[in-house]
Amino acid sequence: MYPDDPTPYTQEALLKRYEEEGWVLKVLMTEEAEKKHKEALAERVKYEPVPIPSGHTEEQLWRIFNAIVDSIPEGAELIMDVSHGFRSQPILALAAVQFLQVVKGVRVHRILYGFYEPTKPEGNFFDLTNFLRLMEWTQATRDLLEHGEGLRLRKLLREIHSHSYQEEGPKAKKLASVGEALDKVEDALDLLRVAEALSSAQELLKHLEAASEDVAQLPRSMPLGLLLGRMRERYRPLAAKDPFSPEGLRAQGEMLHLLLQTKRYAQAITLARELLVTLVCVRQNWDPLEERGVAEAWLNAKVKVRKKKDSTAEDSQALRLISLWEKTADLRNDVAHAAMRENPAGARKLAQSVEDVCNQVRALLEEKTTLPGMRQE
């Protein structure tokens, strides 16, 4: 790395590269490595040894992990050299880095691997930092898919976009736009802006298609293409123009499914209630926006009649609507009033009841083509 002042130690080479910036060198050392290199390395560079076992047992592996974590102070910026790790040590180091980022707020500046070819006069370093970023992308995408939490993914997309303009080569043009479009969809889902969620999903799909061109020409970001593909799978079923068309009702059913998947039960039961009102409007040929109050009054009246006598005059689908309306209204009230009423359901039981009722509403939606007055596209 420094032809005029060569060194056999990657640790010394790295410290020379970064010493003006005030970095502190810590070196993990097994007993064997300490006997062989401790004094020789100390003659060349100032460092702090961190004793670790050889890692021949699971208990020793955990001791190595804990030694790494304990040696890094809170909020530190970290450059990790994994050149001399052997067996499982590099994997442990990577696991420790991820743990440190969360638990101690550590910021990873670089993860480096030094290599030397005997036929060449000097060694060099591979920068492995982007493979850690790939793990972050993966976890961020999982957060989105499983929990509906897209904040970290949106932040990473913007970072990749910005980073491409700090280096030579192709520039990202649409990755930041994906993050912005994702914001709109998830905000609309959280706040139950139905029409906005469906139209924003359409917009996001367009940005994802354009972003695939960015990913294809940015080698370090190519794996992100697979993750963007998962996002397309997630949001494609939500894309629709008219919420009250057959396509729009299907999209709302998928929206309901997504809210359940991500355990947003309060939003799910609220949407289920509104879908029942929409179905009555469609069935009765009422305007699904202007005459929602009429539909609610119709449902409430039918509930009262059903309690007084058997409503054999109603068809089976109308009876299911009425029954689900009664269940949905009760569950939605339990959620909306924060259990501030007599005999509120426990959280686990309430969540299960919401799932059951919402799935019944989705099943009813799938039969919507039998409802008279359905608007066709």
Side-chain angles (χ1 to χ4, degrees):
M1 191 168 185
Y2 292 89
D4 297 333
D5 187 17
T7 173
Y9 293 109
T10 60
Q11 296 92 342
E12 182 183 1
L14 288 174
L15 190 59
K16 284 181 177 179
R17 164 65 177 80
Y18 292 103
E19 63 184 346
E20 292 183 2
E21 301 174 22
W23 292 82
V24 175
L25 177 63
K26 298 188 178 187
V27 182
L28 301 174
M29 284 187 162
T30 62
E31 186 176 345
E32 297 84 353
E34 189 174 3
K35 289 178 181 178
K36 189 173 182 179
H37 297 288
K38 181 178 181 180
E39 293 184 4
L41 182 60
E43 290 176 1
R44 305 184 67 95
V45 69
K46 183 180 179 180
Y47 74 96
E48 177 185 326
V50 179
I52 60 170
S54 298
H56 294 299
T57 66
E58 183 179 346
E59 186 269 337
Q60 288 186 356
L61 294 177
W62 280 110
R63 283 169 57 194
I64 294 172
F65 178 89
N66 289 329
I68 296 171
V69 171
D70 291 343
S71 68
I72 307 299
E74 195 133 346
E77 190 167 1
L78 178 67
I79 298 172
M80 180 167 282
D81 172 23
V82 297
S83 307
H84 302 289
F86 64 99
R87 297 192 184 98
S88 58
Q89 288 178 1
I91 297 175
L92 283 175
L94 195 57
V97 166
Q98 283 201 301
F99 186 78
L100 284 164
Q101 287 182 112
V102 175
V103 175
K104 289 191 173 183
V106 169
R107 300 179 303 281
V108 178
H109 185 74
R110 290 282 188 274
I111 298 178
L112 300 170
Y113 174 78
F115 66 96
Y116 172 72
E117 297 180 42
T119 57
K120 295 184 178 180
E122 62 187 49
N124 212 331
F125 286 90
F126 282 133
D127 187 344
L128 304 180
T129 314
N130 281 302
F131 290 94
L132 178 65
R133 298 286 180 261
L134 178 59
M135 298 176 72
E136 292 175 2
W137 297 341
T138 305
Q139 184 56 54
T141 305
R142 177 179 292 173
D143 288 346
L144 175 67
L145 298 177
E146 294 185 0
H147 309 296
E149 177 48 65
L151 180 62
R152 182 155 60 160
L153 183 58
R154 299 194 289 271
K155 180 182 177 182
L156 288 171
L157 288 169
R158 293 188 183 104
E159 286 178 358
I160 297 166
H161 185 104
S162 176
H163 189 67
S164 74
Y165 285 87
Q166 298 169 14
E167 296 184 335
E168 294 184 3
K171 310 302 180 188
K173 297 178 181 179
K174 293 294 183 180
L175 286 179
S177 297
V178 170
E180 292 168 7
L182 184 59
D183 269 336
K184 292 180 181 178
V185 179
E186 285 299 323
D187 285 348
L189 286 170
D190 283 337
L191 296 172
L192 280 187
R193 309 294 89 182
V194 173
E196 188 176 342
L198 305 190
S199 62
S200 295
Q202 283 189 311
E203 180 184 349
L204 175 59
L205 292 176
K206 293 177 183 177
H207 286 295
L208 286 170
E209 186 64 31
S212 63
E213 298 175 11
D214 283 352
V215 171
Q217 63 180 350
L218 298 170
R220 293 181 179 179
S221 302
M222 284 183 181
L224 186 60
L226 296 174
L227 302 182
L228 294 181
R230 292 299 309 276
M231 290 174 61
R232 276 192 292 272
E233 293 173 11
R234 174 190 175 91
Y235 293 107
R236 185 178 288 116
L238 272 59
K241 293 180 180 179
D242 181 0
F244 307 120
S245 67
E247 178 193 36
L249 287 174
R250 281 193 297 272
Q252 289 188 67
E254 293 297 334
M255 184 174 168
L256 189 57
H257 178 58
L258 182 56
L259 292 172
L260 290 175
Q261 275 189 321
T262 52
K263 301 187 183 300
R264 288 180 270 194
Y265 296 116
Q267 291 94 327
I269 195 62
T270 302
L271 178 58
R273 177 193 183 277
E274 296 305 316
L275 276 168
L276 292 177
V277 177
T278 298
L279 284 175
V280 170
C281 288
V282 170
R283 179 186 175 94
Q284 302 296 112
N285 203 24
W286 293 329
D287 187 288
L289 285 179
E290 299 296 329
E291 298 182 282
R292 298 189 75 78
V294 177
E296 290 182 13
W298 183 90
L299 282 163
N300 289 328
K302 292 293 183 181
V303 168
K304 291 180 180 179
V305 170
R306 193 172 72 89
K307 287 181 177 180
K308 293 180 179 179
K309 61 181 179 179
D310 182 22
S311 302
T312 54
E314 299 289 350
D315 59 58
S316 61
Q317 197 169 67
L319 287 172
R320 288 168 64 197
L321 269 170
I322 296 163
S323 176
L324 278 174
W325 173 255
E326 192 172 11
K327 295 175 184 176
T328 303
D330 183 62
L331 290 171
R332 200 270 298 190
N333 288 340
D334 202 347
V335 170
H337 295 297
M340 298 299 176
R341 64 179 195 171
E342 291 185 8
N343 302 316
R348 184 169 296 181
K349 182 180 179 181
L350 181 60
Q352 185 60 59
S353 298
V354 167
E355 285 201 25
D356 291 343
V357 168
C358 287
N359 284 327
Q360 291 178 57
V361 172
R362 289 188 67 219
L364 197 62
L365 273 174
E366 292 174 4
E367 303 168 17
K368 63 187 177 301
T369 53
T370 65
L371 290 168
M374 176 65 68
R375 276 201 265 174
Q376 299 298 321
E377 295 185 353

